[in-house]
Amino acid sequence: PAHCSNAQRVAEFLAGHPKVEHVNYPGLPGHPGHAVARKQMSDFGAMISFEVKGGYEGGKKVMDGVKIFARAASLGDTRSLIVHSASTSHRAVPREQRLAIGISDGLVRLSVGIEAAEDLIADLDQALGG
């Protein structure tokens, strides 16, 4: 499916971007669940999360800077969606509690849709300041 192949390309782009600390996507060979996902899944899905350098402000800047990705509190659609949980869905949760459940200041989550992968990558690149 288009959204899965797009997600793979977006994840690979993010993994090589100097303003991204870490990418969570089972389609990347370095992901701890890659081998299991390869055995159990026919494709790696369209959900990606990544840690932006710059913490809270870095994550918010990416979410505010994208033009193709739509902001969303709930992920999953044919169009690409983005959320910076620390400034949106979990903004009322005390920072210590957010960190304890894995929602860091710079964490950005994507649901990659069926738009052209090149457009999605260009959108993220400009939002990251690349």
Side-chain angles (χ1 to χ4, degrees):
H3 64 293
C4 292
S5 61
N6 283 350
Q8 182 70 41
R9 291 182 60 193
V10 168
E12 290 169 358
F13 160 76
L14 291 169
H17 198 285
K19 292 190 179 177
V20 174
E21 288 185 29
H22 180 75
V23 179
N24 299 305
Y25 185 68
L28 295 175
H31 186 277
H34 179 73
V36 172
R38 183 173 286 292
K39 288 179 186 175
Q40 294 180 347
M41 302 167 75
S42 60
D43 222 331
F44 297 108
M47 302 301 289
I48 300 169
S49 68
F50 62 101
E51 186 71 31
V52 178
K53 291 180 180 176
Y56 182 92
E57 290 304 320
K60 190 162 180 354
K61 179 183 172 191
V62 172
M63 185 182 71
D64 290 344
V66 293
K67 295 175 174 49
I68 296 173
F69 287 82
R71 291 186 195 198
S74 175
L75 300 175
D77 198 348
T78 56
R79 64 187 173 147
S80 294
L81 307 172
I82 188 170
V83 66
H84 174 240
S85 300
S87 68
T88 59
S89 61
H90 289 76
R91 72 179 174 273
V93 177
R95 184 173 188 269
E96 299 75 32
Q97 288 179 343
R98 275 193 298 102
L99 294 175
I101 60 173
I103 300 173
S104 61
D105 291 341
L107 185 71
V108 175
R109 298 180 331 172
L110 303 176
S111 175
V112 178
I114 59 171
E115 302 89 349
E118 297 82 13
D119 293 341
L120 298 175
I121 290 168
D123 192 22
L124 287 165
D125 193 32
Q126 66 81 28
L128 285 160

